[in-house]
Amino acid sequence: MLKIYAYSGCSTCKNAIKWLKGRGVAFEEIAIRDTPPSVGELKGMLGAYEGEVRRLFNVSGMDYRSLGLKDTLPGMSTEEALGLLAGNGNLVKRPFAVDAGKKVFLVGFKGIRCPCPRGNELDFAAPPTSAGPLIEPVPGAALPALR
């Protein structure tokens, strides 16, 4: 099942959850501050983002700034960075969506960014690539009206 690590006060998280619910996608919502993603989930996400550990960090957050990570993160090992993320959910970019069984690894949410042809439903189905969409079409389903 898809897990969504989110913060209740985060508008981006709220938008992602609303988007998923609106499309009938089953998921488990987890409070990211109370239960950060595991090191294993973070490693999966890191693989989906081609080893760019900075992309897993909430770089606009207070904790990121107060810890001086802008300057210290480049000198950290991957293990150190993942340990820091697993120990402090405030540092993790959110929402953080993972379903290791289906190989879904997504951080952040910017709404629909899918060059899908009309006539297809949208589904969180594949990890993003530098050239690919956040989501993939499911053939044969109706596409909701876009505004």
Side-chain angles (χ1 to χ4, degrees):
M1 173 179 268
L2 182 67
K3 292 185 200 177
I4 304 291
Y5 289 88
Y7 171 55
S8 62
C10 170
S11 62
T12 305
C13 294
K14 289 177 187 177
N15 289 336
I17 288 167
K18 180 180 176 183
W19 190 92
L20 290 168
K21 286 180 178 178
R23 282 148 185 84
V25 176
F27 64 93
E28 173 188 3
E29 186 176 348
I30 300 167
I32 197 165
R33 288 181 166 191
D34 299 333
T35 309
S38 70
V39 171
E41 290 169 328
L42 290 161
K43 283 182 180 180
M45 189 69 73
L46 186 62
Y49 285 93
E50 301 174 349
E52 294 181 51
V53 74
R54 185 178 182 274
R55 292 187 65 190
L56 306 186
F57 279 84
N58 176 10
V59 297
S60 61
M62 298 273 294
D63 286 14
Y64 184 88
R65 285 183 266 150
S66 69
L67 292 171
L69 290 172
K70 179 182 176 185
D71 298 320
T72 59
L73 184 59
M76 280 186 192
S77 70
T78 300
E79 292 76 24
E80 287 175 305
L82 295 180
L84 200 55
L85 289 165
N88 183 344
N90 289 335
L91 291 173
V92 181
K93 183 173 175 108
R94 58 188 186 250
F96 186 102
V98 62
D99 184 338
K102 292 184 179 179
K103 300 195 182 335
V104 174
F105 298 96
L106 302 166
V107 293
F109 181 77
K110 293 185 180 182
I112 298 172
R113 289 192 307 150
C114 182
C116 302
R118 289 266 178 214
N120 288 331
E121 177 58 48
L122 304 175
D123 184 25
F124 274 89
T129 64
S130 57
L134 274 177
I135 46 187
E136 291 189 352
V138 176
L143 182 68
L146 302 178
R147 295 174 195 185

